[in-house]
Amino acid sequence: MKIWNEIWDYVKMIIIVVVVVLVINNVVLINAKIPSESMENTIMTKSRVIGSRLSYLTDDPERGDIVIFHYPDDESVYYVKRVIGLPGETVEIVDGKVYINGSDTPLEEPYLPEPMEGSYGPYTVPEGSYFMLGDNRNNSRDARYWENKFVKKEKIIAKVLFCYYPLSQFGPVE
C-alpha cells in the first residue's frame, strides 16, 4: 500500500508539471524558430526566440515592435516581422525609404543591414490591422509581397522578447 501512495505522489507531481508547462507555453510564452534571413541582422537565421503572449492584452503593438503572428496568406504558419504601419496610416516606400502618412522625412531605421531597394505602395492600413516588414528588406518576403497585406491585431500572437539560441545571440531583441 505504501508503495502505491508513493507512486501516486510521483504521478501527481508529473501531472502538475505538465499542466504548468502547457499553461506557460499556451498562455504566457511562445517559442519560435527563425527559418530565413528576413530579420537579419536583428535576428539571425535558425535563431530561437521567446515571445510574450501577454504583451498585447492591454496594449496595442507599436511601430518598431518585433512580433510573432499568423501569416495572413496561410494562418497555419507563424511569421516574425517588425511592425511598420499602424491602423489608419498610409505606408509608402520610395527609393527604399519608408514614409508614413506622406511625411517629408522617412522613418529612421537603424536596424536595417543595408539600404532597401525599390518603391512600393502606398498601402493604407485598415483599422485593427498592421503592416509588417522584415529588417533584411532585400531578402524578405514580407507584406509587400503578400496577397493579404495586413495583419489583424487578433492574429498577432506575441511580442518577441529575447533570443536564446544560439548562445552568441543571447539577449533582448529590439
Side-chain angles (χ1 to χ4, degrees):
M1 260 333 205
K2 203 170 192 180
I3 186 116
W4 291 114
N5 286 340
E6 198 165 317
I7 290 173
W8 177 240
D9 285 343
Y10 280 113
V11 169
K12 286 191 294 186
M13 184 173 36
I14 290 169
I15 291 171
I16 290 170
V17 168
V18 167
V19 167
V20 167
V21 167
L22 287 173
V23 167
I24 288 172
N25 195 40
N26 292 301
V27 177
V28 180
L29 299 176
I30 185 170
N31 172 20
K33 182 178 181 182
I34 310 304
S36 73
E37 65 274 2
S38 72
M39 287 303 294
E40 291 182 0
N41 289 334
T42 307
I43 307 171
M44 303 305 284
T45 306
K46 297 184 181 173
S47 292
R48 290 198 161 271
V49 297
I50 295 289
S52 169
R53 293 178 183 267
L54 304 177
S55 291
Y56 301 124
L57 287 181
T58 57
D59 294 324
D60 290 327
E62 296 179 9
R63 187 179 346 277
D65 287 357
I66 298 173
V67 297
I68 302 168
F69 57 92
H70 292 278
Y71 172 46
D73 292 344
D74 179 357
E75 292 190 357
S76 69
V77 177
Y78 292 162
Y79 264 34
V80 176
K81 302 284 183 214
R82 190 178 294 272
V83 175
I84 298 297
L86 304 177
E89 293 182 336
T90 298
V91 178
E92 187 168 13
I93 301 166
V94 179
D95 295 327
K97 298 198 179 327
V98 177
Y99 296 87
I100 305 294
N101 293 332
S103 172
D104 293 332
T105 307
L107 277 184
E108 202 170 302
E109 299 186 283
Y111 41 79
L112 298 181
E114 63 186 13
M116 179 173 42
E117 299 169 359
S119 297
Y120 305 87
Y123 308 103
T124 300
V125 184
E127 286 302 320
S129 296
Y130 296 85
F131 185 78
M132 311 291 188
L133 294 175
D135 287 0
N136 190 4
R137 307 265 163 87
N138 296 324
N139 295 295
S140 179
R141 300 305 289 171
D142 50 38
R144 297 169 290 165
Y145 305 105
W146 303 341
E147 185 177 323
N148 299 294
K149 304 263 180 232
F150 309 104
V151 177
K152 294 180 178 165
K153 182 181 180 192
E154 60 268 17
K155 300 300 180 180
I156 297 174
I157 300 166
K159 178 179 182 178
V160 174
L161 300 177
F162 66 92
C163 179
Y164 69 91
Y165 178 85
L167 289 178
S168 61
Q169 300 292 314
F170 186 87
V173 175
E174 296 176 12

